[in-house]
Amino acid sequence: MTVIDFTAFIERLASASGDTILPFFRTSLGIDNKNAGRDLDPVTEADRGAEAVMRRMIKESFPQHGIIGEEFGTERPDAEYVWVLDPIDGTKSFISGMPIWGTLIALTHRGQPAYGMMHQPYIGERFSGDNGAALYQGRTGKRKLSTRRCASLAEATLFTTSPRLMNDADRAQFSHVEQEVRLSRYGGDCYSYCMLAAGHLDIVIETELKPHDVAALIPIVHGAGGIMTTWEGEGAEHGGRIVASGDKRLHDTVLKMLQGLCFTPARPFSDNPEAAAPPSAGRGRRASQSPTAGPPTDR
């Protein structure tokens, strides 16, 4: 059995999870905090219900497969095929009524992400990939995804969910990159990687990610012609500090800066976009700030 044999089943998983989630979106749903500390790490009945539905379908159709999910843990992680599920990536956006979230469904084969899908049921978009190709499906039809060429930081658009999710050292390294790009924006979660695959932005930099945050996105980014690694240049499948780029030339430059091999003096992080902006026009202009701080596990 090849990965392509699972495509129709993954489409059904996406539809079933979306049908479970949508009745909760933009309603007065209950929110639990998975973090015992001060910071909010939200989970809702929509998260739990969607993952439960997908788990049940997988067990009925492929009982020999393993499952790793954000809400209900791990079963048979050493199986040849393992499903990696994040029912709502971007729960903070979800509970805020913002449609910048998605359901992540990945199938790994012998430990490597082989196929991934990001489904946004409210907008009606699906992004999928198998490392060799990537596809968009939406209200405008279907089309192949392809990253755009961008070799220079001065021409690049950079996204991160929020620098506040980074520790001080990582935030400083991120700032070295941020001050060199044409445009820096915050927010997006899984959508940022899909927009990179679609050729609308050039770099995504994150830290403290889990396997369920990245497993579905790797085949999409790679399938569209991009590259996704850790800050050290290793495989991204285990999560951690992650960088994705649409152009390998740009990726090599970003890795060197994140590793401290080359950099310009970093400006201190600030909640004030005007204070954070460099004096020269067209470099490092911050167009938005994340209003909410949160723990690394809140995606």
Side-chain angles (χ1 to χ4, degrees):
M1 214 174 194
T2 62
V3 173
I4 196 67
D5 297 321
F6 296 106
T7 303
F9 179 71
I10 293 172
E11 295 279 355
R12 294 198 299 273
L13 287 179
S15 296
S17 63
D19 289 344
T20 303
I21 292 169
L22 279 182
F24 292 96
F25 187 49
R26 294 181 176 173
T27 66
S28 299
L29 76 168
I31 302 167
D32 295 327
N33 187 3
K34 293 189 287 186
N35 188 352
R38 176 180 59 85
D39 295 322
L40 177 64
D41 184 7
V43 62
T44 70
E45 285 305 309
D47 296 85
R48 298 187 184 104
E51 183 170 322
V53 166
M54 290 189 287
R55 281 177 175 268
R56 182 167 61 250
M57 293 174 66
I58 292 168
K59 290 178 182 179
E60 290 174 353
S61 298
F62 305 105
Q64 73 278 21
H65 288 192
I67 304 175
I68 298 173
E70 180 177 13
E71 306 306 334
F72 296 115
T74 300
E75 301 178 49
R76 297 173 54 84
D78 297 326
E80 180 180 3
Y81 288 99
V82 177
W83 298 86
V84 185
L85 310 174
D86 189 348
I88 301 178
D89 183 80
T91 304
K92 283 186 175 179
S93 291
F94 182 86
I95 65 175
S96 301
M98 302 293 291
I100 312 173
W101 51 271
T103 298
L104 298 179
I105 304 170
L107 178 63
T108 67
H109 184 227
R110 298 192 173 112
Q112 296 299 311
Y115 189 93
M117 175 175 286
M118 191 283 269
H119 179 216
Q120 216 305 332
Y122 184 76
I123 297 176
E125 294 186 322
R126 296 182 181 186
F127 301 81
S128 59
D130 62 3
N131 294 304
L135 180 69
Y136 167 84
Q137 303 174 68
R139 294 172 182 173
T140 59
K142 297 182 180 180
R143 67 176 182 270
K144 184 178 179 180
L145 294 173
S146 180
T147 60
R148 66 186 180 191
R149 295 172 61 84
C150 179
S152 170
L153 280 171
E155 298 299 321
T157 296
L158 165 68
F159 262 72
T160 189
T161 298
S162 172
R164 292 186 176 188
L165 298 174
M166 303 176 184
N167 61 42
D168 290 344
D170 289 345
R171 188 185 301 156
Q173 294 305 112
F174 169 81
S175 182
H176 296 319
V177 179
E178 183 179 36
Q179 68 182 355
E180 294 300 315
V181 301
R182 180 178 65 175
L183 176 64
S184 175
R185 300 284 286 178
Y186 300 164
D189 293 287
C190 58
Y191 245 110
S192 299
Y193 298 87
C194 294
M195 291 300 97
L196 183 145
H200 299 301
L201 58 98
D202 306 290
I203 313 166
V204 182
I205 298 176
E206 310 267 33
T207 64
E208 307 298 334
L209 300 187
K210 306 299 183 186
H212 58 254
D213 294 318
V214 297
L217 300 171
I218 294 170
I220 298 172
V221 170
H222 289 180
I227 182 170
M228 189 167 166
T229 70
T230 65
W231 288 20
E232 294 73 32
E234 303 297 329
E237 64 271 11
H238 300 298
R241 302 188 302 175
I242 301 299
V243 55
S245 307
D247 190 313
K248 187 180 186 303
R249 297 168 297 175
L250 187 64
H251 195 78
D252 292 342
T253 300
V254 172
L255 287 183
K256 288 178 181 178
M257 297 185 74
L258 292 175
Q259 294 167 12
L261 300 179
C262 64
F263 64 90
T264 55
R267 295 186 307 278
F269 174 75
S270 170
D271 285 332
N272 183 346
E274 297 301 323
S280 59
R283 298 288 293 280
R285 294 172 292 185
R286 289 193 180 178
S288 68
Q289 297 287 338
S290 173
T292 307
T297 57
D298 71 341
R299 294 173 56 83

